Amino acid sequence: MELLAFDEKLRHYAGMRISLDLDDGVKVNYGKFGDLLAEVKAVTGGAVDA
């Protein structure tokens, strides 16, 4: 069940075709993936816009 939920989220973000800019840095680029990646708040330092 947990893998199905992750797969659904992954499919959603893959469909968004998010562009990454290396000049933005890790915090900005990591934050573009919402709660898909582990500990996003620890990396970005706050809330995430999804």
Side-chain angles (χ1 to χ4, degrees), residues 19-37:
S19 64
L20 302 176
D21 186 343
L22 297 178
D23 291 331
D24 288 341
V26 173
K27 282 186 177 184
V28 173
N29 287 319
Y30 203 90
K32 292 179 181 181
F33 292 94
D35 62 348
L36 184 64
L37 303 175

Side-chain angles (χ1 to χ4, degrees), residues 3-30:
L3 286 177
L4 291 175
F6 177 77
D7 184 57
E8 187 176 316
K9 284 183 187 179
L10 182 60
R11 196 174 308 271
H12 170 74
Y13 282 100
M16 292 172 59
R17 310 217 18 116
I18 298 170
S19 64
L20 302 176
D21 186 343
L22 297 178
D23 291 331
D24 288 341
V26 173
K27 282 186 177 184
V28 173
N29 287 319
Y30 203 90

